[in-house]
Amino acid sequence: MENMNKQHLWQGEWIGDQELASRIGDIQSLVARQMACELDIETVLAAGDLLGKNIREKSAIFTELKNCLSGTDQFTSDEIGLALLEIADVLRRENLEKKLIRELGSSNPLLACRTQFDDAIFEAWAPLGFLVHISPQNAFTVGPMSVLEGLLSGNFNFLKTSPQESSFPQILLHALGKCDPSAQLEKFIIVAKISSKRKDLLEPVFAGADGIAAWGGEESIQSIRAMAPASVRIVEWGHKISLAFLSMEAAQDPHTLKQLAMECCLMEQQACSSPQCVYLDTSDWNELQRFGERLADALTLVAHELPRQLPDTASAGEIALVSECHRLESCLGNARLIEAPDGGWRIYIDDHAALAASPLYRSIWVKPLPRTDIIRVLRPMRNYLQTVAICCKLSEMHPLSRSFLRAGAIRIRRIGEMTGGYPGEPHDGVYALQRYCRRVSLQLAHEAQGISNFDELRKFPPLQWDPVPAMTAKEQFQSVPADPAQAHLFFKSGGSTGEPKLSTFSYQQYHEHIRLGAEGLYAAGFDPLGDRAMNLFFGGGLYGGFISFFSALEQLGAIQFPMAAHGDTRMVAQEIVKNKVNVLLGMPSYILQLFEKEADILSAYRGVKKIYYGGEHFSPAQRHYLHQSFQVDVIRSAAYGSVDIGPIGFQCEHSDGGVHHLQQQLQYLEILKMDEDRAVQGEEVGRLVFTPRMLSVNKPLRYEIGDVGHWIADPDGICACGRAAPRFRLLGRTGDICRIGSTFLNYQEFIRILATHFAYAGEAQLILAQAEIKEKVILVISDSERLPALRCREIFLENYLDLQEAVLTDETLLFEVQAVGIDEFHRTAGSGKLIRVLDRRAR
């Protein structure tokens, strides 16, 4: 907390005037050092969201900020509370992300990404660098909100406030910095109270600036230009004038007049979007006077509802001068002044249409402006126009709004909503974040093949949190509350190991997942220029596989045939050949069925060169079968993911089988020991536990999805493909291990023996059943492989010692092998995924 002698905030530290002057003397060196540091936008989003939450919950920072503003006697308690809640709303993560996406096109705009997947051009937004903000004295939120925009665009920020201003900006931005546990954010913030006359302090600051964002009139901006180097980008947020326009019909409506009166009183017209002039769609002087009288009645009714802020001496003098001049003008019969008896408001009725600035503090001009004259009258003031509130019939809105926009206005609003806004709204006709950034490009050659963005080439830092137990059940995950306002999309999750659940996503989250999924396919060798892909994933029934890969292929700009896992495999095979499809995407179980059933067509074609799969895995024998019989060259994972938390891993050309790179932009992975929440050592096998880095609709921490695996020890932590994202090998499901007949059996061991002793390339399923006294395990295999069931049983009992002991030694378990048709395997209803272990024992 500041004290009277330390009123400046310098990178998280409160300092006094003498220390400020000393540090500004060395600011060039500081800027050079800080430019070597990179501000992660995720840090800004997380800190902003936490600060907004603290304000909404009226914690200590809410009280501190409120007390700070209460001491100025400029605002009522209600006005302060409302303003703080508006700030808290701006700081919501979803609103900050909307702003980034609207203004810079992405929630991570500083990341260099391919502009499209058929060339090697990368583009990104880059911060200007050292950004100085000169805030206005009459709007306490403008300065800190501009700094927030500077942080969202990655800049090092210096905010100059007036010595007469409260310490609200310092306190708010200090609290924002403290919401970052890494203590990096505060290093990008300096807030100092400096008089505009202190050139000895301002000139060194301006000399190191890459950009100066300034609010003020022409004289103030000229003064800044005179002190700043010519190379500095000056971002002007100058004084603007706003107005209201009423049709003759709307001018009769009491509710409209009340709303207009409220607009004239709110914030004493201090906002640029407050009306200073009201135009009536008429040229009749008498109509204009009658309207002024009705407006006066409305002001009389509402003025007392909003506590009045008295003008300072200079403003009071300006009001008196304008009023007296207008009173004298009224002697000529073309002007009229209507004032409140207590002097609390005044209306200047004038038959000259030319736009005039108000002296504010509830002072409003009323002028005639026939709609046919809008452009002629207002265009000379086009550089100063901001908001126009239009009140008319809906059928009149289009031509009227078009006229005002062509005259130079930049915001059209309804009366009663002039000072409102929305996340990412343009300010003064431009996007602030774009003015605080530069657009940069990088063009690379073949060495960037398969790389989608530069985040793939760097290591992400570990997450920091207080230790919490890993979630071990889908029910736990589903119990995490979702924000209904952000739950737009519902997909069915699970079904192979339990009752299916619904997972919720916002559209923003879905599109982020699709982008990562597309980049994963590209890394795995999919060629958007040359490949012709058929999407054979299952769709419908709330299952997301088909639609997700449709969207991913669309993101890649690929040629695709959205077939889905169609039951008529003959038709599917014929379409593959007819359309020269060379890439298939789908579940291994369906793809194997397709090749087995339509072997005559597909072996003759031999044009399918790549298969990208999801949800299940191909065994080595199955891969060999597809390569030898059909000459499929590439069989890789389309994505390793979970419906619950999205994309998790992807493969590159150096990652086959179960080896994946972590989708580190989205996920943080821990591999924990099988029997405790402690990290494994080296390449020890453990449970895969994930935490999404960007928490949105669902907010899990340490979610154990039921898979096991181990880390891959790449030299220097870099894969041969050049990516720094860590790699891990997926070994299967924790559910692959089942307890039956007083022993533990592993599904993967059955698969290994089938491949080793029989070169079996078909599907296999374990059924756990109760047979009178004993339990029974049934190994179900495909009859297409023509394996003798009895011989299979003998081989398993000879080579699987745990099974041998339970069946032959202890005699606690029955075991048999059944060969069935490929359509007789049990699968999940939604995705068609093979249920590897089906437990049919009575519980």
Side-chain angles (χ1 to χ4, degrees), residues 180-196:
D180 168 29
S182 71
Q184 295 301 307
L185 184 58
E186 63 185 13
K187 301 299 182 184
F188 288 82
I189 303 171
I190 297 174
V191 191
K193 291 187 177 185
I194 303 176
S195 168
S196 297

Side-chain angles (χ1 to χ4, degrees), residues 190-407:
I190 297 174
V191 191
K193 291 187 177 185
I194 303 176
S195 168
S196 297
K197 298 177 182 179
R198 291 293 304 271
K199 291 187 177 182
D200 60 316
L201 297 179
L202 293 178
E203 286 182 345
V205 174
F206 291 173
D210 297 288
I212 300 175
W215 281 259
E218 293 178 356
E219 185 177 338
S220 299
I221 300 299
Q222 283 300 111
S223 174
I224 292 168
R225 288 189 183 278
M227 285 188 280
S231 60
V232 176
R233 180 187 293 184
I234 306 294
V235 182
E236 299 180 36
W237 305 113
H239 288 319
K240 298 291 182 180
I241 297 178
S242 297
L243 56 96
F245 179 88
L246 280 71
S247 68
M248 288 303 297
E249 181 179 350
Q252 315 296 322
D253 179 37
H255 177 72
T256 298
L257 290 170
K258 182 178 179 181
Q259 291 291 100
L260 178 58
M262 294 288 285
E263 295 275 25
C264 296
C265 297
L266 280 172
M267 296 181 286
E268 305 300 331
Q269 298 171 287
Q270 297 294 305
C272 290
S273 53
S274 298
Q276 298 190 38
C277 183
V278 179
Y279 281 115
L280 195 62
D281 184 17
T282 184
S283 56
D284 188 314
W285 171 247
N286 292 324
E287 287 287 356
L288 202 64
Q289 290 194 83
R290 284 193 287 270
F291 170 74
E293 290 166 359
R294 292 195 297 274
L295 179 58
D297 292 339
L299 279 167
T300 301
L301 288 173
V302 305
H304 70 277
E305 297 179 14
L306 295 173
R308 181 183 169 198
Q309 178 188 336
L310 295 176
D312 57 22
T313 303
S315 298
E318 183 184 4
I319 292 171
L321 178 61
V322 173
S323 298
E324 191 57 37
C325 289
H326 198 71
R327 187 176 285 108
L328 292 173
E329 186 80 15
S330 67
C331 298
L332 301 177
N334 57 356
R336 180 179 172 188
L337 174 65
I338 304 177
E339 291 183 285
D342 61 356
W345 53 263
R346 59 219 56 85
I347 300 173
Y348 306 120
I349 306 176
D350 184 9
D351 71 348
H352 294 99
L355 184 63
S358 161
L360 309 182
Y361 294 94
R362 310 188 184 194
S363 307
I364 190 77
W365 289 93
V366 172
K367 291 172 171 277
L369 183 61
R371 63 184 65 194
T372 53
D373 293 341
I374 290 173
I375 295 176
R376 178 184 63 81
V377 170
L378 294 180
R379 182 166 164 73
M381 298 291 287
R382 60 188 177 277
N383 292 332
Y384 301 95
L385 293 179
Q386 198 214 59
T387 302
V388 176
I390 302 177
C391 197
C392 63
K393 293 178 180 177
L394 179 61
S395 59
E396 301 172 301
M397 181 59 74
H398 174 63
L400 284 173
S401 61
R402 184 175 58 184
S403 294
F404 279 109
L405 293 173
R406 288 183 175 181

Side-chain angles (χ1 to χ4, degrees), residues 561-623:
F561 299 84
M563 177 65 72
H566 201 284
D568 186 349
T569 55
R570 173 67 49 161
M571 181 271 291
V572 173
Q574 290 170 343
E575 290 296 326
I576 290 172
V577 175
K578 176 182 175 182
N579 293 289
K580 299 180 180 179
V581 170
N582 71 311
V583 178
L584 302 182
L585 298 94
M587 307 286 279
S589 54
Y590 179 81
I591 291 176
L592 286 169
Q593 286 184 60
L594 174 66
F595 277 94
E596 288 180 18
K597 288 184 175 181
E598 313 305 333
D600 55 337
I601 295 177
L602 296 176
S603 61
Y605 174 53
R606 298 200 172 196
V608 175
K609 296 302 179 184
K610 301 177 185 178
I611 292 175
Y612 294 103
Y613 61 89
E616 303 167 324
H617 297 279
F618 283 104
S619 70
Q622 291 167 343
R623 291 170 182 270

Side-chain angles (χ1 to χ4, degrees), residues 596 625 754 757-763 780-793 817-822 825:
E596 288 180 18
Y625 163 69
L754 280 171
H757 293 271
F758 301 101
Y760 178 75
E763 293 181 301
V780 182
I781 57 176
S782 172
D783 60 8
S784 64
E785 298 274 333
R786 300 193 180 353
L787 297 185
L790 288 177
R791 179 59 181 153
C792 282
R793 183 177 186 278
V817 178
Q818 293 180 2
V820 302
I822 197 166
F825 285 93

Side-chain angles (χ1 to χ4, degrees), residues 403-473:
S403 294
F404 279 109
L405 293 173
R406 288 183 175 181
I410 51 182
R411 294 172 84 238
I412 303 296
R413 291 292 185 273
R414 296 191 303 177
I415 289 177
E417 299 176 1
M418 294 184 68
T419 57
Y422 56 85
E425 180 181 15
H427 184 64
D428 288 356
V430 295
Y431 283 136
L433 295 185
Q434 290 187 5
R435 300 191 76 181
Y436 293 172
C437 286
R438 300 167 291 135
R439 189 67 176 169
V440 297
S441 64
L442 303 91
Q443 188 165 6
L444 303 177
H446 63 276
E447 68 268 21
Q449 181 64 36
I451 301 297
S452 299
N453 63 70
F454 279 24
D455 262 0
E456 296 179 25
L457 306 178
R458 74 178 179 97
K459 281 190 178 294
F460 277 56
L463 291 182
Q464 299 178 357
W465 60 58
D466 295 329
V468 294
M471 292 184 182
T472 56

